[in-house]
Amino acid sequence: MRWVTYATDIGDRVGVIGGDRIHPLAPGVRLVELIGRGAEELRAAGEAALASAEPTVPLAGARLRAPVPRPPSVRDCLCFLDHMRNCQQATGSPRTLNDAWYRVPAFYFACPSTVVGPYDEVTISPGSAWFDFELEVAAVIGPGGRDLTPERAEEHIIGYTIYNDWSARDLQMREAPLAIGQAKGKDGATTLGPFLVTPDELAPHRRDGRLALRVEAKVNGTTIGSGDTGAMDWSFGEVISYASRGVDLVPGDVFGSGTVPGCCLVEHLSLSDPAAFPGWLRDGDVVELTVEGLGHTRQTVRASAAPYPLAPRHDPDRRPPRPRVNRAPSKLPYTRGLHEVGPDVWAWLLPDGGYGWSNAGLVAGEDASLLVDTLFDLRLTAEMLDAMRPVTGRRPITRAVITHANGDHTHGNQLLDERVQIIAAEATCAEMRHEMPPEMLTATQVVDIGPATPYFRERFGAFDFSGIRLRLPDLTFDGELTLDVGGREVRVMNLGPAHTAADSVVHVPDAGVLFAGDLLFVGCTPIVWSGPISHWIAACDRMIATGADTIVPGHGPVTDPDGIRAVRGYLTHVVEQADAAHARGLPFGEAVKAVDLGEYAAWLDAERIVVNLHRRYRELDPATAPELDQMTLMTMMAERALS
């Protein structure tokens, strides 16, 4: 038999399925009470309902709840060891499991109060950027028991249902070092349903004491994983027997199987190839799980409000980070916020100019404004747009120029009004399409990557990468573009590739202001992701040639043409040092150690010399420097900074 609990105007009802109809039991009957009487009484109650003259309910039109909406307890077991191996590999660890996994049928407790039905919407755990599903099946206890053998434990299973263990992977990883079990990473929601299917219905699917049910998981119609529950390493009988040691199991207790290998998102994660990852769940995504004999669930994921922040406690054992002070001279105070840098032209500054602390700009005309870049996360961008409102309330933003593809200049695009036309170079748009998904940057905050971990935590820990949906440009250009902003001429020029595949600058001639994007780092070290370096040096010359005397860099304080000359000098120094090392036959790794930064050693993030030397070595002879992915280069920078 297949049993359901469904919602009515007068409360939940319990029913048994006959064909495509629900045959209800008397009002007030709860399935958890009924199953506690055992299989025979459950069958008798079902047969009576099927024979009753009570009006039936179309199954297709019913709002199904979880079969047991509030179980006494929910234990999620880890019966599929391949799932654990896959998870370890995905997060950069070896696939070899600790010996304890082979000796103990592990489980953890989930939250009974957050159980949801098979078609209910599910809210992303607050603060999570890595929200995931997990396809499992669950066994539900009928009559209780204690100190059960595996054989007896199987007899206490009254039925099975689909189980979706919704998981906030980033929160889970944050909590893992505590080594006290699952917490906020796992208690956001658990789906049960649509039916509680009695064991006799599934008898044809039994193989060697296990249910062998075909399963499939889809997101937005695309299959993420499929498999067979017959691959369980630990059987339900074994995990229930283990859980019952010295403990009274009661009717309605739920035991999840653990994830069928491949049927979740985290197993498809690769830190070395993040672009291949299908992406974490976002607002509006639809997750469908199908299990042979147990039915189908279909649920829409919804965004959540930001969590209330909690200040960390003082750690007396933590070595304080090295002081970070941007010592570059500035034309005006280098403080966080909006600064007028010319007539009706403003710069939004975020000290100290390191990773993610980028600048943006606003140019206002008679009845319209142009925004130059957004920021690294939604909170920072919202703060900036609010501060600009005294200007943009009267002269609204109608266009936004994105100087290049990096997330600290694009992640806030979604907060712009849909009527705002976003403009970028064609190569910037192309690069944005292939950029690492914004939420993947959460790895810098939660994944243990060995000795380099403190570096990543320090550089990226202040940002919130949840909820970001990358909004691409509406209009692209090649070369140059002239805009009319409320009667003012604004020139946009792509001077890349250099820092990235395309690097645009925004020149406001009547104000003598140039927004340089990341072609200019002031007081902090440039990083050549794309190159060639010679192209960046030429871009410096072209910026100086504009005649602008106020320069807003992508990172660092507002400067003048001398700030451009300083960056040009650094890039020239890199070329000289790299070429000399290459001429001496030094391998790339040795050249990194041997380079003399001279006066540029005092610039913030001087360890970026690793990437810059690598780029120059690749330009000179690719055979002398292997192609390295961004994560490997970042780790090498971290090692240099911490040495």
Side-chain angles (χ1 to χ4, degrees), residues 249-316:
L249 303 183
V250 300
D253 281 347
V254 172
F255 285 81
S257 65
T259 307
V260 179
C263 293
C264 62
L265 293 170
V266 70
E267 291 186 46
H268 302 279
L269 175 66
S270 171
L271 296 179
S272 62
D273 187 14
F277 182 58
W280 302 104
L281 297 175
R282 297 178 174 183
D283 182 57
D285 285 346
V286 176
V287 177
E288 297 177 272
L289 307 183
T290 303
V291 178
E292 182 181 21
L294 298 184
H296 173 262
T297 68
R298 187 179 193 276
Q299 297 176 272
T300 301
V301 174
R302 292 301 179 201
S304 61
Y308 184 82
L310 299 175
R313 304 299 91 164
H314 172 65
D315 180 357

Coordinates of all heavy atoms in Angstrom, one line a residue, residues 249-316:
L249 N 13.7 2.9 19.9 CA 13.2 3.5 18.7 C 11.6 3.5 18.8 O 11.0 2.7 19.4 CB 13.6 2.7 17.5 CG 15.1 2.5 17.3 CD1 15.3 1.7 16.0 CD2 15.8 3.8 17.3
V250 N 11.0 4.6 18.3 CA 9.6 4.8 18.4 C 8.9 4.9 17.1 O 9.6 5.2 16.1 CB 9.3 6.0 19.3 CG1 9.9 5.9 20.7 CG2 9.8 7.3 18.6
P251 N 7.6 4.7 17.0 CA 6.9 4.7 15.7 C 7.1 6.1 15.0 O 7.0 7.2 15.7 CB 5.4 4.5 16.1 CG 5.5 3.7 17.3 CD 6.7 4.2 18.1
G252 N 7.4 6.1 13.8 CA 7.6 7.3 13.0 C 9.1 7.7 12.9 O 9.4 8.7 12.1
D253 N 10.0 7.1 13.6 CA 11.4 7.5 13.5 C 11.8 7.2 12.0 O 11.5 6.2 11.4 CB 12.3 6.6 14.4 CG 12.3 7.1 15.8 OD1 11.8 8.2 16.1 OD2 12.7 6.4 16.7
V254 N 12.6 8.2 11.5 CA 13.0 8.1 10.1 C 14.5 7.9 10.0 O 15.3 8.5 10.7 CB 12.6 9.5 9.4 CG1 13.2 9.5 8.0 CG2 11.1 9.6 9.3
F255 N 14.9 7.0 9.1 CA 16.3 6.7 8.8 C 16.5 6.9 7.3 O 16.1 6.1 6.5 CB 16.6 5.2 9.2 CG 16.7 4.9 10.6 CD1 15.6 4.8 11.4 CD2 17.9 4.9 11.3 CE1 15.7 4.5 12.8 CE2 18.0 4.7 12.6 CZ 16.9 4.5 13.4
G256 N 17.3 8.0 7.0 CA 17.7 8.2 5.6 C 18.9 7.3 5.3 O 19.7 6.9 6.1
S257 N 18.9 6.9 4.0 CA 20.0 6.0 3.5 C 21.3 6.6 3.3 O 22.3 5.9 3.2 CB 19.5 5.4 2.2 OG 19.5 6.4 1.2
G258 N 21.4 7.9 3.3 CA 22.6 8.6 2.7 C 22.4 8.7 1.2 O 21.5 8.1 0.6
T259 N 23.3 9.5 0.6 CA 23.1 9.9 -0.8 C 23.5 8.8 -1.7 O 24.6 8.2 -1.6 CB 23.9 11.2 -1.1 OG1 23.6 12.2 -0.1 CG2 23.7 11.7 -2.5
V260 N 22.7 8.5 -2.7 CA 23.0 7.6 -3.8 C 24.2 8.2 -4.5 O 24.0 9.4 -4.9 CB 21.8 7.3 -4.7 CG1 22.3 6.4 -5.8 CG2 20.7 6.7 -3.9
P261 N 25.3 7.6 -4.7 CA 26.5 8.2 -5.3 C 26.1 8.9 -6.6 O 25.5 8.4 -7.5 CB 27.4 7.0 -5.5 CG 27.1 6.1 -4.5 CD 25.6 6.2 -4.3
G262 N 26.6 10.2 -6.7 CA 26.4 11.0 -7.9 C 25.1 11.8 -7.9 O 25.0 12.7 -8.7
C263 N 24.2 11.6 -6.9 CA 22.9 12.2 -6.9 C 22.9 13.4 -6.0 O 22.0 13.5 -5.1 CB 21.8 11.2 -6.6 SG 21.6 9.9 -7.9
C264 N 23.8 14.3 -6.1 CA 23.9 15.6 -5.4 C 24.9 16.4 -6.2 O 25.5 15.9 -7.1 CB 24.3 15.4 -4.0 SG 26.0 14.7 -3.8
L265 N 25.0 17.7 -5.9 CA 25.9 18.6 -6.6 C 27.3 18.5 -6.2 O 28.2 18.6 -7.0 CB 25.3 20.0 -6.5 CG 24.0 20.3 -7.2 CD1 23.5 21.7 -6.8 CD2 24.1 20.2 -8.7
V266 N 27.6 18.4 -4.9 CA 28.9 18.5 -4.4 C 29.8 17.4 -5.0 O 31.0 17.7 -5.2 CB 29.0 18.4 -2.8 CG1 28.6 17.0 -2.3 CG2 30.3 18.9 -2.3
E267 N 29.3 16.3 -5.3 CA 30.1 15.2 -5.9 C 30.7 15.6 -7.3 O 31.6 15.0 -7.8 CB 29.4 13.9 -6.0 CG 29.1 13.3 -4.6 CD 28.5 11.9 -4.8 OE1 29.0 11.1 -5.6 OE2 27.4 11.6 -4.1
H268 N 30.0 16.6 -7.9 CA 30.5 17.0 -9.3 C 31.4 18.2 -9.2 O 31.7 18.8 -10.3 CB 29.2 17.2 -10.1 CG 28.3 16.1 -10.2 ND1 28.6 15.0 -11.1 CD2 27.2 15.7 -9.5 CE1 27.6 14.1 -11.0 NE2 26.8 14.5 -10.0
L269 N 31.8 18.6 -8.0 CA 32.6 19.8 -7.9 C 34.1 19.4 -8.1 O 34.5 18.3 -7.7 CB 32.5 20.3 -6.4 CG 33.4 21.5 -6.0 CD1 33.1 22.7 -6.8 CD2 33.3 21.7 -4.5
S270 N 34.8 20.3 -8.8 CA 36.2 20.1 -9.0 C 36.9 21.5 -8.8 O 36.7 22.4 -9.6 CB 36.5 19.6 -10.4 OG 37.9 19.6 -10.6
L271 N 37.7 21.6 -7.8 CA 38.4 22.8 -7.5 C 39.4 23.2 -8.6 O 39.7 24.4 -8.8 CB 39.0 22.8 -6.1 CG 38.1 22.6 -4.9 CD1 38.9 22.6 -3.6 CD2 37.1 23.8 -4.9
S272 N 39.9 22.2 -9.3 CA 40.8 22.4 -10.4 C 40.1 22.8 -11.7 O 40.8 23.3 -12.6 CB 41.7 21.2 -10.6 OG 41.0 20.1 -10.9
D273 N 38.8 22.5 -11.8 CA 38.1 22.8 -13.0 C 36.7 23.3 -12.6 O 35.7 22.7 -12.9 CB 38.0 21.6 -13.9 CG 37.3 21.9 -15.3 OD1 37.3 23.1 -15.6 OD2 36.9 21.0 -15.9
P274 N 36.6 24.5 -12.0 CA 35.3 25.0 -11.5 C 34.3 25.3 -12.6 O 33.1 25.3 -12.3 CB 35.7 26.3 -10.7 CG 37.1 26.7 -11.2 CD 37.7 25.4 -11.6
A275 N 34.8 25.6 -13.8 CA 33.9 25.9 -14.9 C 33.0 24.8 -15.3 O 32.0 24.9 -15.8 CB 34.7 26.5 -16.1
A276 N 33.5 23.5 -15.0 CA 32.7 22.3 -15.3 C 31.6 22.0 -14.3 O 30.8 21.2 -14.6 CB 33.7 21.1 -15.5
F277 N 31.6 22.7 -13.2 CA 30.6 22.4 -12.2 C 29.3 22.9 -12.6 O 29.1 24.0 -13.1 CB 31.1 23.1 -10.9 CG 30.2 22.9 -9.7 CD1 29.9 21.6 -9.3 CD2 29.6 23.9 -9.1 CE1 29.1 21.3 -8.2 CE2 28.8 23.7 -8.0 CZ 28.5 22.4 -7.5
P278 N 28.2 22.1 -12.4 CA 26.9 22.6 -12.9 C 26.3 23.7 -12.1 O 25.3 24.4 -12.5 CB 26.0 21.3 -12.7 CG 26.7 20.5 -11.7 CD 28.2 20.7 -11.9
G279 N 26.9 24.1 -10.9 CA 26.4 25.2 -10.2 C 25.6 24.8 -8.9 O 24.9 23.8 -9.0
W280 N 25.7 25.6 -7.9 CA 24.9 25.4 -6.7 C 23.5 25.9 -6.9 O 23.2 26.6 -7.9 CB 25.5 26.1 -5.5 CG 26.9 25.6 -5.2 CD1 28.1 26.3 -5.5 CD2 27.3 24.4 -4.6 NE1 29.2 25.6 -5.1 CE2 28.7 24.4 -4.6 CE3 26.6 23.3 -4.1 CZ2 29.5 23.3 -4.1 CZ3 27.4 22.2 -3.6 CH2 28.8 22.2 -3.6
L281 N 22.6 25.5 -6.1 CA 21.2 25.8 -6.3 C 20.9 27.3 -6.0 O 21.5 27.9 -5.0 CB 20.3 25.0 -5.3 CG 20.3 23.5 -5.6 CD1 19.5 22.7 -4.6 CD2 19.8 23.2 -7.0
R282 N 20.1 27.9 -6.8 CA 19.7 29.3 -6.6 C 18.2 29.5 -6.7 O 17.5 28.6 -7.0 CB 20.4 30.1 -7.8 CG 21.9 30.1 -7.8 CD 22.4 30.8 -9.0 NE 23.8 31.0 -9.0 CZ 24.5 31.6 -9.9 NH1 23.9 32.3 -10.9 NH2 25.8 31.7 -9.9
D283 N 17.9 30.7 -6.3 CA 16.4 31.1 -6.3 C 15.8 30.7 -7.7 O 16.3 31.1 -8.7 CB 16.3 32.6 -6.0 CG 14.8 33.0 -6.0 OD1 14.1 32.4 -5.2 OD2 14.4 33.9 -6.8
G284 N 14.7 30.0 -7.6 CA 14.0 29.6 -8.8 C 14.3 28.3 -9.4 O 13.6 27.8 -10.3
D285 N 15.4 27.7 -9.0 CA 15.8 26.3 -9.5 C 14.8 25.3 -9.1 O 14.2 25.4 -8.0 CB 17.2 25.9 -9.0 CG 18.3 26.6 -9.7 OD1 18.1 27.3 -10.7 OD2 19.4 26.6 -9.2
V286 N 14.5 24.3 -9.9 CA 13.6 23.2 -9.7 C 14.3 21.9 -9.6 O 15.0 21.5 -10.5 CB 12.5 23.2 -10.8 CG1 11.5 22.0 -10.5 CG2 11.7 24.5 -10.9
V287 N 14.1 21.2 -8.4 CA 14.8 20.0 -8.2 C 13.8 18.9 -8.2 O 12.8 18.9 -7.5 CB 15.5 20.0 -6.8 CG1 16.1 18.6 -6.5 CG2 16.6 21.1 -6.8
E288 N 14.0 17.9 -9.1 CA 13.1 16.7 -9.2 C 13.9 15.4 -8.9 O 15.0 15.2 -9.4 CB 12.6 16.6 -10.6 CG 11.7 17.8 -11.0 CD 11.3 17.7 -12.5 OE1 12.0 18.2 -13.3 OE2 10.2 17.2 -12.7
L289 N 13.3 14.6 -8.0 CA 13.9 13.3 -7.6 C 12.9 12.2 -8.0 O 11.7 12.4 -7.6 CB 14.2 13.3 -6.1 CG 15.1 14.4 -5.5 CD1 15.4 14.1 -4.1 CD2 16.4 14.6 -6.3
T290 N 13.4 11.2 -8.6 CA 12.5 10.1 -8.9 C 13.2 8.8 -8.4 O 14.3 8.6 -8.6 CB 12.3 10.0 -10.5 OG1 11.8 11.2 -11.0 CG2 11.4 8.8 -10.8
V291 N 12.4 8.0 -7.7 CA 12.8 6.7 -7.2 C 11.8 5.6 -7.6 O 10.6 5.8 -7.3 CB 13.0 6.7 -5.7 CG1 13.4 5.4 -5.2 CG2 14.0 7.8 -5.2
E292 N 12.3 4.6 -8.2 CA 11.5 3.5 -8.7 C 10.7 2.9 -7.5 O 11.2 2.6 -6.5 CB 12.4 2.4 -9.3 CG 11.7 1.2 -9.8 CD 12.6 0.2 -10.4 OE1 13.8 0.2 -10.0 OE2 12.2 -0.7 -11.2
G293 N 9.4 2.9 -7.7 CA 8.5 2.3 -6.6 C 8.1 3.3 -5.5 O 7.1 3.0 -4.8
L294 N 8.8 4.4 -5.4 CA 8.5 5.4 -4.3 C 7.9 6.7 -4.9 O 7.4 7.5 -4.1 CB 9.8 5.7 -3.5 CG 10.4 4.5 -2.8 CD1 11.6 5.0 -1.9 CD2 9.4 3.8 -1.9
G295 N 8.0 6.9 -6.2 CA 7.4 8.1 -6.7 C 8.4 9.2 -7.1 O 9.5 8.9 -7.5
H296 N 7.9 10.4 -7.0 CA 8.6 11.6 -7.6 C 8.4 12.8 -6.7 O 7.3 13.0 -6.2 CB 8.0 11.8 -9.0 CG 8.5 13.0 -9.7 ND1 7.8 14.2 -9.7 CD2 9.6 13.2 -10.4 CE1 8.4 15.1 -10.5 NE2 9.6 14.5 -10.9
T297 N 9.4 13.6 -6.5 CA 9.3 14.9 -5.8 C 9.7 16.0 -6.8 O 10.5 15.8 -7.6 CB 10.1 15.0 -4.5 OG1 11.5 15.0 -4.9 CG2 9.9 13.8 -3.6
R298 N 9.1 17.1 -6.6 CA 9.4 18.3 -7.5 C 9.3 19.6 -6.6 O 8.2 19.9 -6.1 CB 8.5 18.4 -8.7 CG 8.9 19.5 -9.7 CD 7.9 19.5 -10.9 NE 8.4 20.3 -12.0 CZ 8.3 21.6 -12.1 NH1 7.6 22.3 -11.1 NH2 8.8 22.2 -13.1
Q299 N 10.4 20.2 -6.4 CA 10.4 21.4 -5.5 C 11.2 22.5 -6.1 O 12.2 22.4 -6.7 CB 11.0 20.9 -4.1 CG 10.2 19.9 -3.4 CD 10.8 19.4 -2.2 OE1 11.6 18.5 -2.2 NE2 10.5 20.0 -1.1
T300 N 10.7 23.7 -5.8 CA 11.4 25.0 -6.2 C 12.1 25.6 -5.1 O 11.7 25.6 -4.0 CB 10.3 26.0 -6.7 OG1 9.6 25.4 -7.8 CG2 11.0 27.2 -7.2
V301 N 13.4 26.0 -5.4 CA 14.2 26.6 -4.4 C 14.0 28.1 -4.3 O 13.8 28.7 -5.4 CB 15.7 26.3 -4.7 CG1 16.7 27.0 -3.8 CG2 16.0 24.8 -4.7
R302 N 14.0 28.6 -3.1 CA 13.7 30.1 -3.0 C 14.8 30.7 -2.2 O 15.4 30.1 -1.3 CB 12.4 30.3 -2.3 CG 11.2 29.9 -3.1 CD 11.2 30.7 -4.4 NE 10.0 30.4 -5.3 CZ 10.0 30.6 -6.6 NH1 11.0 31.2 -7.2 NH2 9.0 30.3 -7.3
A303 N 15.1 32.0 -2.4 CA 16.1 32.7 -1.7 C 15.7 33.0 -0.3 O 14.5 32.9 0.0 CB 16.4 34.0 -2.4
S304 N 16.6 33.3 0.6 CA 16.3 33.6 2.0 C 16.9 34.9 2.3 O 17.7 35.5 1.6 CB 16.9 32.5 2.9 OG 18.3 32.5 2.8
A305 N 16.4 35.5 3.4 CA 16.9 36.7 3.9 C 18.3 36.5 4.5 O 18.6 35.4 4.9 CB 16.0 37.3 5.0
A306 N 19.1 37.5 4.6 CA 20.5 37.4 5.1 C 20.3 37.1 6.6 O 19.4 37.6 7.3 CB 21.3 38.7 4.9
P307 N 21.2 36.3 7.2 CA 21.2 36.0 8.6 C 21.6 37.1 9.4 O 22.4 38.0 9.0 CB 22.1 34.8 8.7 CG 23.1 35.0 7.6 CD 22.4 35.6 6.5
Y308 N 21.2 37.2 10.7 CA 21.6 38.2 11.6 C 23.1 37.9 11.9 O 23.5 36.8 12.3 CB 20.8 38.2 12.9 CG 21.2 39.3 13.9 CD1 20.7 40.5 13.7 CD2 22.1 39.0 14.9 CE1 21.0 41.6 14.6 CE2 22.4 40.1 15.8 CZ 21.9 41.3 15.6 OH 22.2 42.3 16.5
P309 N 24.0 38.9 11.7 CA 25.4 38.7 11.9 C 25.8 38.5 13.4 O 25.2 39.2 14.3 CB 26.1 39.9 11.3 CG 25.0 41.0 11.4 CD 23.7 40.3 11.3
L310 N 26.8 37.6 13.6 CA 27.3 37.4 15.0 C 28.8 37.7 14.9 O 29.5 37.2 14.1 CB 27.1 36.0 15.4 CG 25.6 35.5 15.6 CD1 25.6 34.0 15.9 CD2 24.9 36.4 16.6
A311 N 29.2 38.5 15.9 CA 30.6 38.9 15.9 C 31.5 37.7 16.4 O 31.1 37.1 17.4 CB 30.8 40.1 16.8
P312 N 32.6 37.4 15.8 CA 33.4 36.3 16.3 C 34.0 36.7 17.7 O 34.2 37.9 18.1 CB 34.5 36.2 15.3 CG 34.6 37.6 14.6 CD 33.2 38.1 14.7
R313 N 34.3 35.7 18.5 CA 35.0 35.9 19.8 C 36.5 36.1 19.6 O 37.1 35.6 18.6 CB 34.8 34.6 20.7 CG 33.3 34.2 20.9 CD 32.5 35.3 21.6 NE 31.9 36.2 20.6 CZ 30.9 37.0 20.9 NH1 30.4 37.1 22.1 NH2 30.4 37.8 19.9
H314 N 37.1 36.7 20.6 CA 38.5 36.9 20.5 C 39.3 35.5 20.7 O 38.9 34.7 21.5 CB 39.0 37.8 21.6 CG 40.4 37.9 21.8 ND1 41.3 38.5 20.8 CD2 41.3 37.5 22.8 CE1 42.5 38.4 21.2 NE2 42.6 37.9 22.4
D315 N 40.2 35.3 19.8 CA 41.0 34.1 19.8 C 42.4 34.5 20.4 O 43.2 35.0 19.6 CB 41.1 33.5 18.4 CG 41.9 32.2 18.4 OD1 42.5 31.8 19.5 OD2 42.1 31.6 17.3
P316 N 42.7 34.1 21.6 CA 44.0 34.5 22.2 C 45.2 33.8 21.5 O 46.3 34.2 21.7 CB 43.9 34.1 23.6 CG 42.9 33.0 23.7 CD 41.9 33.3 22.6

